[in-house]
Amino acid sequence: MKHKTFFWFVLPSALAMLLFIFLPMVSIVVQSLHVSHEQVIIEVENCGPFGCRQSTTVDQEATESLRDAKPLGQFAGLTTYMDRGHLAVNEVGDAWNAARGWRDFGGRMLNLPFYKAMAFTLTFTFVVTPLVIILGFLIAVAVNSATKLIRGQLIFVSLLPMMITPLVGALILFWMVDARGIVGAFLQDISGDPNLSIKASTPLMWIMLMVYGVWHSAPFAFIVYYAGLQTVNTETLESAMIDGASRAQRIRYVVLPHLLPLTTFIALMQLMDNFRVFEPIISFSASAHATSLSWAIFNDLGGETRQLSSAAATSVLTVIGVIILLTPVLIRTWRDFGRK
Amino acid sequence: MSSKAHKKPLPLTLFITVVLGAWLVLAAFPFLWTLWGSFKVEGDFFSKANWAAALTGELTQTETGGSVTGSGYYGAWIEEEFWRAAWNSTLVCFFVVTISLTLGTLGGYALSRSPHRYAFWFLIIALVFRALPQITLVSGYLPVFFEFNMWGYLPTAIVVLIAINQPFTLWMLHSFFKNIPQDLDESAMVDGCNRFQAFRHVIVPVMWPGVITTGLFSFLLAYNDFAVTTLLLNQDNQTMIPKIGSFLGTTQTKGNVMFAVSAVVSVTAPLFVMILVFQRQIVSGLTAGAVKG
């Protein structure tokens, strides 16, 4: 294809991505280096019947004109990154000096919003991903061994948790585990504690969020593995059997090697998706117990005061995290391309 | 299937059946339960006394006189004007799907036919863009949208969703077009078509399976989006998912959780139908990237 034709074909798409993905990325980097202007304070003399007094007020006009002249705010360098809401350099240093042992240090770190969000995001990512792979594999094997007649229906039901809107799926589960819902009541029964409430307990909330994560993503791993199982070479399987391989050996040496590349694919997709965990925290109203990086950005942007610089700084840190996670994929794609 | 290699020992069959049964319950029961419960009153669906009340609907009986009630749906759709959100969602989904498919087919086709290195880099950059959490971009949009007074309107959200959707659409359609033999359009060009005519008359008629699959996923992205639409749309223009989000904040305190429950069921229903009709395309789309590589 000629360069010129290629250019015209990809132009609309490229333009959309340039304007609404690339430029916003530049914009968050710039914003994160600025903070909004402080209000201009002036001293005025108020003279009343009891004499004159000095008082300070906000000069609205001057503040407005300053904001109009420099809408980005004033340049602040890396201060936003270093403050308590983000990397909290000073606080970490203090915690390090004051801490008695590792546990204590960890506890102190979890009081800092960024590290709290980071801790949950990473735990979620690295707990949910392997569980999704295992459960997805089990379901795929189970569905694959069911009779052909009902497989269609089985796949339909299995797809539901993934295709349903995350916010909605999480809400449905949340209402069931509510202390007044069916699963909540059941949990109270088996634990023998009538006041057991997931909303009130941090460990339970973390577990519940991860249960949701596995429930939501397992269908993806299932579908990929199921498709993989359809293409396992039956001739190889049978010849392995003729050579005297047991069932376990056949799975170990024929089926699993066939599924291995799929596992890498699922793992990478899941790492990326789980890293942005966000909606379940809203649905479960879990922010008191667990926050994620995406939630932190959302929280800064929503509400009355939009803290743009703070959100931008968290966004930049999140993007850096994503790029670190993505490096293996990029290297792999690069090698694949080199081979072709 | 009659092959001997597929015969299993009994304990294994048993284990597999248990796994399958447990998973089916896990996957389907929450939806059935919520669908059933949405026709009860709050006192039954969230029963302090006995969870089974949601099945029998005792309080529903005393409060409304029937064993089922549509009050949750009435409250959500009429009183809280959920119909408006449903209409907004329809608009957003329609425009996002059609426009992003139009842009995506052109771009995906070009990417699949270009042998040059920059096409590869283009795809790699798209992959990085695809991996970014969408919410990280929103803080980049806000100041600009406020400045140009674009914040809060449906077209703004539509344009943003189209752009966010592009990387995925391009990858997906790129791999579909790769499977259409190059000889097809090249022979058309030998016969005197230019590139665009070859695309228009030769590729377009055979591309629909791939386009429909990609369209389904674009639809899901637009339909399911919460982060972007919540932060970019004002109250009147909200789509369904942010509207449910706002139910959580406001109506829950008023004791109208059932509005949210009914709205949740209403949002889920179209998705059920979609999976039912397009199951095959969805499965092929999910595995498109995986099985080949």
Side-chain angles (χ1 to χ4, degrees):
Chain A
M1 187 177 249
K2 282 193 217 107
H3 299 304
K4 205 175 143 198
T5 343
F6 179 83
F7 174 78
W8 286 112
F9 266 95
V10 296
L11 182 68
S13 247
L15 211 59
M17 291 199 289
L18 181 74
L19 284 177
F20 291 96
I21 301 181
F22 180 71
L23 287 183
M25 297 307 306
V26 177
S27 161
I28 57 170
V29 174
V30 176
Q31 278 180 60
S32 67
L33 299 175
H34 290 76
V35 290
S36 57
H37 295 288
E38 283 162 28
Q39 290 169 320
V40 181
I41 308 283
I42 44 168
E43 287 209 346
V44 282
E45 205 175 37
N46 279 332
C47 287
F50 306 107
C52 290
R53 290 170 55 195
Q54 293 279 339
S55 69
T56 54
T57 56
V58 176
D59 185 344
Q60 298 289 357
E61 241 173 69
T63 311
E64 273 306 300
S65 67
L66 189 60
R67 283 186 185 161
D68 279 346
K70 283 182 173 179
L72 269 174
Q74 48 187 330
F75 184 75
L78 292 174
T79 38
T80 313
Y81 289 96
M82 300 303 169
D83 70 9
R84 189 178 184 280
H86 300 91
L87 293 176
V89 181
N90 294 332
E91 286 81 356
V92 172
D94 291 348
W96 180 253
N97 292 329
R100 302 174 302 275
W102 284 102
R103 272 190 85 84
D104 188 38
F105 178 64
R108 283 162 195 267
M109 294 286 283
L110 286 184
N111 287 330
L112 299 167
F114 178 76
Y115 293 100
K116 188 185 167 199
M118 196 72 185
F120 178 74
T121 310
L122 288 178
T123 317
F124 185 87
T125 309
F126 289 101
V127 170
V128 169
T129 307
L131 289 179
V132 161
I133 290 174
I134 295 168
L135 184 63
F137 178 70
L138 283 179
I139 304 168
V141 170
V143 171
N144 196 40
S145 60
T147 52
K148 278 227 166 74
L149 268 178
I150 57 163
R151 278 194 207 170
Q153 284 86 326
L154 292 180
I155 293 175
F156 169 72
V157 174
S158 302
L159 280 175
L160 290 177
M162 172 177 55
M163 307 306 276
I164 267 31
T165 319
L167 185 90
V168 163
L171 268 177
I172 289 177
L173 288 199
F174 178 61
W175 286 328
M176 289 175 74
V177 300
D178 188 277
R180 298 165 300 161
I182 173 169
V183 179
F186 177 70
L187 287 177
Q188 289 173 349
D189 261 4
I190 54 168
S191 68
D193 174 4
N195 292 321
L196 182 81
S197 163
I198 288 184
K199 272 188 255 182
S201 146
T202 301
L204 282 181
M205 190 54 103
W206 279 46
I207 292 172
M208 198 50 224
L209 284 165
M210 289 179 206
V211 167
Y212 165 78
V214 175
W215 182 75
H216 175 70
S217 306
F220 174 68
F222 151 66
I223 285 292
V224 175
Y225 277 132
Y226 178 75
L229 285 174
Q230 306 304 303
T231 54
V232 173
N233 193 337
T234 34
E235 281 170 22
T236 322
L237 267 184
E238 276 168 18
S239 57
M241 214 173 67
I242 291 166
D243 291 346
S246 69
R247 161 170 287 278
Q249 283 171 324
R250 265 172 299 166
I251 293 178
R252 167 76 186 77
Y253 293 107
V254 181
V255 179
L256 289 187
H258 179 71
L259 295 183
L260 193 67
L262 302 184
T263 310
T264 346
F265 169 75
I266 300 170
L268 292 169
M269 296 298 282
Q270 283 302 307
L271 284 178
M272 284 193 283
D273 280 355
N274 291 331
F275 193 70
R276 45 173 109 164
V277 52
F278 166 56
E279 280 103 334
I281 296 179
I282 300 279
S283 292
F284 285 44
S285 337
S287 52
H289 305 292
T291 56
S292 72
L293 294 175
S294 299
W295 182 87
I297 301 170
F298 182 79
N299 191 42
D300 278 343
L301 291 176
E304 296 287 296
T305 53
R306 294 177 190 274
Q307 292 166 302
L308 291 174
S309 313
S310 167
T314 316
S315 299
V316 172
L317 294 170
T318 310
V319 170
I320 293 172
V322 169
I323 289 174
I324 293 173
L325 277 180
L326 202 63
T327 323
V329 193
L330 292 180
I331 293 174
R332 200 181 80 137
T333 320
W334 172 248
R335 281 205 198 122
D336 280 358
F337 184 75
R339 236 183 284 142
K340 282 170 204 162
Chain B
M1 281 319 284
S2 56
S3 144
K4 229 186 145 196
H6 287 278
K7 228 170 236 161
K8 294 181 190 65
L10 185 68
L12 192 67
T13 320
L14 223 61
F15 172 71
I16 284 175
T17 320
V18 170
V19 167
L20 200 59
W23 168 248
L24 287 184
V25 171
L26 272 178
F29 179 69
F31 298 106
L32 297 174
W33 178 258
T34 310
L35 173 67
W36 179 264
S38 68
F39 291 103
K40 306 289 175 194
V41 294
E42 190 184 341
D44 278 331
F45 190 56
F46 295 98
S47 176
K48 287 200 176 75
N50 178 10
W51 62 266
L55 286 177
T56 53
E58 291 155 26
L59 282 171
T60 315
Q61 195 72 254
T62 48
E63 278 179 36
T64 63
S67 58
V68 290
T69 169
S71 63
Y73 289 91
Y74 181 81
W77 281 83
I78 312 292
E79 281 174 34
E80 292 286 334
E81 298 197 322
F82 198 66
W83 59 269
R84 201 188 288 275
W87 173 241
N88 288 335
S89 276
T90 315
L91 288 178
V92 168
C93 291
F94 175 76
F95 286 108
V96 168
V97 170
T98 44
I99 301 176
S100 64
L101 283 181
T102 313
L103 303 190
T105 36
L106 291 173
Y109 171 69
L111 288 168
S112 74
R113 292 297 186 261
S114 173
H116 299 291
R117 212 171 183 78
Y118 54 74
F120 167 74
W121 281 109
F122 195 95
L123 281 170
I124 287 286
I125 292 170
L127 181 71
V128 176
F129 284 168
R130 154 131 169 69
L132 297 175
Q134 290 143 13
I135 197 161
T136 55
L137 300 171
V138 177
S139 36
Y141 299 139
L142 287 179
V144 185
F145 288 173
F146 284 136
E147 181 73 29
F148 292 104
N149 206 8
M150 285 159 66
W151 185 85
Y153 303 109
L154 279 182
T156 313
I158 291 173
V159 170
V160 166
L161 286 174
I162 291 169
I164 287 181
N165 209 354
Q166 274 310 299
F168 170 77
T169 317
L170 282 177
W171 265 92
M172 194 95 163
L173 286 169
H174 154 83
S175 60
F176 273 113
F177 281 124
K178 272 248 144 124
N179 287 343
I180 298 177
Q182 287 220 21
D183 310 347
L184 222 54
D185 36 335
E186 270 163 18
S187 60
M189 286 169 71
V190 172
D191 290 347
C193 285
N194 64 29
R195 192 46 98 159
F196 187 78
Q197 283 169 327
F199 174 71
R200 170 74 192 81
H201 297 292
V202 181
I203 299 297
V204 169
V206 296
M207 75 181 183
W208 294 109
V211 169
I212 289 172
T213 308
T214 316
L216 285 171
F217 287 90
S218 307
F219 169 81
L220 280 174
L221 178 127
Y223 191 84
N224 289 346
D225 178 82
F226 173 70
V228 174
T229 40
T230 308
L231 291 170
L232 290 188
L233 290 173
N234 62 24
Q235 284 283 321
D236 292 337
N237 290 331
Q238 266 175 347
T239 51
M240 289 199 279
I241 308 299
K243 184 87 181 168
I244 292 179
S246 71
F247 279 170
L248 298 181
T250 54
T251 56
Q252 219 159 22
T253 46
K254 282 192 278 170
N256 284 336
V257 193
M258 294 320 286
F259 290 7
V261 178
S262 327
V264 157
V265 174
S266 315
V267 167
T268 316
L271 290 174
F272 261 66
V273 176
M274 193 197 84
I275 305 172
L276 209 59
V277 177
F278 294 108
Q279 180 171 333
R280 212 179 353 175
Q281 283 84 352
I282 293 171
V283 171
S284 78
L286 285 172
T287 51
V291 180
K292 272 177 292 166

